[in-house]
């Protein structure tokens, strides 16, 4: 405890020098991203981090980031890493925020304890361990928030890419575009069935004109959707099957027997309308 | 004793399943429904399962049996209101209710029954 | 793998099958399963609870909420002291039935969950364990 305090007071006493040196590091050529952050903002972040670091060092006997006293430092670094991940900083640039503090601090320790090699080594080791763990923490948080961004975008894409549209009273359609994987096909299936209930539709059209390939798994999902719709009391039509897809399906041994298929969306709509009692005809 | 009410609507019978059925109750429904078809001379049966949270193989088989028995007794069966989640699960389970007609809701089910029975009564009487 | 919560229930009457379904539904909803997945695990539990009750002459269901890394799941174990299944592979095939049913119980339940494990000893009983991840 005693020793810890002395380091804290040493850091506090020399904080102007350290901050100046640290700033030099941060703003040195090739490191400062002027395109992503303003100098004032960066200086504020450095100042906040420094203050919370000193406070935590003064409070906690052990340097264990999971301790309560380190919470402010952790949440500060979490905020920083998250915002940097969003802004487009690289992971190294983000970690550098902490690592660039090493040089000024080590310099200070070296100058202070140069006549006491044992103490020098001990303090260097302790501070090195601390800064490493803080740097790693930023990297971890950075990666986690990137993953979070990817996950959210995937979800948004799933939602966006499967709009169910109402064609006419009792007829809904879902135009599928792009490659279908299992997760997406499942979302389509659930959305379509929900929409059948919401619109009291008796005919549902799945148009796969925009789907480049259909493998066995996707074909199975389509067949399951048709069966589920049938159990609910709606007829499902698959339209827009391109010649290549028809060929692959036969080669794969997937049969769409018992399922109404139409070559084009227009044909499917015409068929659907006739199922619910309408006819398309040309005006005189 | 627990019972599922069977309503008479003209030539048709309407059953609304609103409880999580245990197996005996499902079998009892099968018994009572076939009895009522004969007693009321019903031409159609509507089974509303919109409140059912699952249809497992036992309930699925009971529904299929009811439809098959009703057909022998000259009545058509329409199962209406199956929830999407239930339908998806049934397909995954491998149940397809062969021989059972389905409709989105009671109204549509009624239309189907009416059109089926209409066709029957339009047919010329046997010579 | 972390065990968050555990409970067990008897399967001694057809009312118990209904209760088992309701308990599985409640736990699945609390763990955050989507409606479709809730329906799948409840349906699977209904099949397996009925198997334990009908063929196993009664048994128990153990329900456990588990956590593995950042995913949560539901693990259900159905145990009975019935006659056991001589040929498990055969029993998992669709259409296999000893009770005059549709024979979709075991194979169907397997398709509704992520993990399926069955152990059976003739004369001793059967244990089926399933896991579904949120």
């Amino acid at each position: 405890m005693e020793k810890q305090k002395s380091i804290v007071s040493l850091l506090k006493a020399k904080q102007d020098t350290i901050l100046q040196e640290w700033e030099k590091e941060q703003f040195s050529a090739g490191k400062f991203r002027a395109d992503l952050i303003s100098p004032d903002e960066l200086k504020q972040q450095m100042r906040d981090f420094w203050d919370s670091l000193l406070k935590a060092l003064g409070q906690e006997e052990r340097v264990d980031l999971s301790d309560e006293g380190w919470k402010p430092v952790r949440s500060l670094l979490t905020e920083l890493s998250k915002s940097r991940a969003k802004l487009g900083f690289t992971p190294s640039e983000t970690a550098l925020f902490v690592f660039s503090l090493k040089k000024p601090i080590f310099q200070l320790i070296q100058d202070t304890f140069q006549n006491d090699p044992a103490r020098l080594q001990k303090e260097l080791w302790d501070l090195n361990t601390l800064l490493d763990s803080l740097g790693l923490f930023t990297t971890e948080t950075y990666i986690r928030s990137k993953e979070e961004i990817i996950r959210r975008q995937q979800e948004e894409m799933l939602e966006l890419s499967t709009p169910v549209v109402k064609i006419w009273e009792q007829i809904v359609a879902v135009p599928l575009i792009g490659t279908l994987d299992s997760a997406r096909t499942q979302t389509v299936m659930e959305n379509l069935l929900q929409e059948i209930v919401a619109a009291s539709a008796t005919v549902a059209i799945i148009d796969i004109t925009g789907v480049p390939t259909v493998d066995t798994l996707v074909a199975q999902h389509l067949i399951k959707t048709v069966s589920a719709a049938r159990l609910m009391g709606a007829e499902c039509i698959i339209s827009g099957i391109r010649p290549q897809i028809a060929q692959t399906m036969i080669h794969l041994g997937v049969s769409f027997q018992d399922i109404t298929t139409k070559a084009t969306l227009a044909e499917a709509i015409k068929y659907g309308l006739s199922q619910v009692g309408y006819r398309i005809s040309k005006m005189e | 004793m627990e019972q599922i009410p069977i309503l008479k609507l003209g030539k048709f019978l309407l059953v609304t399943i609103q409880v999580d059925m245990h197996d005996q109750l499902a079998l009892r429904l099968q018994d009572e429904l076939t009895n009522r078809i004969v007693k009321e001379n019903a031409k159609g049966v509507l089974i509303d399962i919109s409140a059912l949270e699952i249809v497992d193989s036992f309930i699925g088989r009971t529904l299929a049996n009811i439809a098959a028995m009703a057909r022998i007794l000259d009545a058509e069966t329409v199962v209406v209101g199956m929830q999407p989640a239930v339908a998806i699960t049934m397909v995954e389970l491998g149940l397809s209710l062969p021989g059972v007609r389905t409709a989105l809701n009671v109204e549509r089910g009624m239309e189907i029954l009416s059109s089926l029975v209409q066709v029957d009564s339009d047919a010329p009487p046997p010579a | 793998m972390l065990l968050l919560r555990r409970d067990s229930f008897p399967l001694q009457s057809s009312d118990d099958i209904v209760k088992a379904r309701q308990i599985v539904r409640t736990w699945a909803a609390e763990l955050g399963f989507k409606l479709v997945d809730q329906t799948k695990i409840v349906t699977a539990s209904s099949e397996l609870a009925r198997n334990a009750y009908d063929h196993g002459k009664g048994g128990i269901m153990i329900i456990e909420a588990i956590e593995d890394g950042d995913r949560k799941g539901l693990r259900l174990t159905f145990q009975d002291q019935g006659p056991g299944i001589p040929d498990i592979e055969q029993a998992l095939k669709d259409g296999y039935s000893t009770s005059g049913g549709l024979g979709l119980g075991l194979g169907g339940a397997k398709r509704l969950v992520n993990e399926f494990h069955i152990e059976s000893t003739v004369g001793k009983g059967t244990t089926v364990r399933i896991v579904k991840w949120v």
Side-chain angles (χ1 to χ4, degrees), chain B:
Chain B
M1 200 158 63
E2 258 181 302
Q3 224 170 5
I4 295 172
I6 301 171
L7 290 176
K8 186 170 186 277
L9 292 173
K11 285 179 281 187
F12 309 133
L13 298 177
L14 172 64
V15 184
T16 307
I17 301 174
Q18 267 163 336
V19 291
D20 192 350
M21 281 195 295
H22 59 75
D23 297 358
Q24 270 84 43
L25 189 59
L27 292 176
R28 205 178 304 144
L29 174 68
Q30 183 176 301
D31 273 357
E32 278 167 29
L33 205 46
T34 42
N35 284 334
R36 284 286 292 274
I37 292 171
V38 174
K39 196 173 144 206
E40 314 278 2
N41 191 24
K43 292 294 161 210
V45 178
L46 270 180
I47 305 177
D48 182 0
I49 60 163
S50 54
L52 268 194
E53 288 182 334
I54 67 155
V55 172
D56 61 9
S57 61
F58 187 85
I59 302 172
R61 178 169 44 146
T62 310
L63 291 173
N65 283 350
I66 289 176
M69 292 170 188
R71 193 163 307 120
I72 296 175
L73 300 169
D74 192 28
E76 293 291 339
T77 305
V78 182
V79 170
V80 305
M82 186 184 294
Q83 296 299 325
V86 175
I88 291 171
T89 304
M90 278 181 72
V91 170
E92 212 69 57
L93 191 63
L95 279 175
S96 58
L97 297 187
V100 179
R101 286 172 207 274
T102 53
L104 281 178
N105 49 41
V106 174
E107 204 185 337
R108 289 279 159 69
M110 262 325 189
E111 285 168 19
I112 292 177
L113 279 184
S114 302
S115 69
L116 288 171
V117 173
Q118 194 69 42
V119 172
D120 276 1
S121 54
D122 280 355

Side-chain angles (χ1 to χ4, degrees), chain C residues 60-64 75-79 127-130:
Chain C
I60 56 163
M61 173 180 83
I62 299 164
I63 180 167
E64 292 164 311
R75 182 166 62 195
L76 303 173
T77 310
F78 298 84
Q79 278 171 349
T127 300
V128 181
R129 173 172 289 177
I130 56 173

Side-chain angles (χ1 to χ4, degrees), chain A residues 153-165:
Chain A
Q153 283 174 341
Q154 268 175 341
E155 271 172 17
E156 280 167 7
M157 210 176 69
L158 275 179
E159 293 298 318
L160 274 179
S161 56
T162 58
V164 182
V165 290

